[in-house]
Amino acid sequence: QVQLVESGGGLVQAGGSLRLSCAASGRTLSSVTTGWVRQAPGKERESVAAIRWTGITYYADTVKGRFTISRDNAKNTVYLQMDSLKTEDTGVYYCAAESTQWPPPVGEWNYRGQGTQVTVSS
């Protein structure tokens, strides 16, 4: 049984930063592709960042240069550092794991957490 538990969401002003964490159990994240998917109000769900077991990363164009995905193998945790946040970054962010495709399409993750709300105010 794979469990992904997100934390770190909250309310922040535009231009600010947040760091999301995803703690996993039941699967070693360093052996699979892991990423973050977000659901923004009124928009389609999108994979915003991903990291392969090799360490190769992917970022959606909407977050490239502002978000950084990383992994702590000892803690079996993946992070999403979000800087220079914009109001359009508001949404629910889900941690996701295991995808056979690269970059992982939003619907091709085998596991997903419950999500954490990120709200960016103007």
Side-chain angles (χ1 to χ4, degrees), residues 2 5 17 39 55 78 97 118:
V2 178
V5 180
S17 299
Q39 176 72 68
V78 170
V118 171

Side-chain angles (χ1 to χ4, degrees), residues 7 49 52 58 62 65 75 99 117-118 120:
S7 61
R52 298 194 79 172
Y58 158 81
T62 51
K75 296 182 178 180
S99 177
Q117 176 71 43
V118 171
V120 184

Side-chain angles (χ1 to χ4, degrees), residues 8 22 29 35 52 54 62 64 72 74 94 100 103 108:
C22 172
L29 294 185
R52 298 194 79 172
T54 58
T62 51
K64 199 172 293 182
D72 186 328
Y94 300 90
T100 59
E108 294 296 324

Side-chain angles (χ1 to χ4, degrees), residues 45-65:
R45 196 170 293 178
E46 65 172 332
S47 291
V48 296
I51 183 167
R52 298 194 79 172
W53 66 274
T54 58
I56 294 174
T57 57
Y58 158 81
Y59 297 98
D61 289 342
T62 51
V63 306
K64 199 172 293 182

Side-chain angles (χ1 to χ4, degrees), residues 3-71:
Q3 284 193 320
L4 304 171
V5 180
E6 304 96 334
S7 61
L11 173 64
V12 64
Q13 286 191 325
S17 299
L18 280 176
R19 188 177 80 155
L20 306 183
S21 300
C22 172
S25 60
R27 180 72 83 246
T28 300
L29 294 185
S30 61
S31 64
V32 299
T33 295
T34 313
W36 292 90
V37 174
R38 75 177 174 193
Q39 176 72 68
K43 297 183 180 179
E44 292 188 357
R45 196 170 293 178
E46 65 172 332
S47 291
V48 296
I51 183 167
R52 298 194 79 172
W53 66 274
T54 58
I56 294 174
T57 57
Y58 158 81
Y59 297 98
D61 289 342
T62 51
V63 306
K64 199 172 293 182
R66 300 187 297 119
F67 290 11
T68 304
I69 189 170
S70 62
R71 186 178 62 219

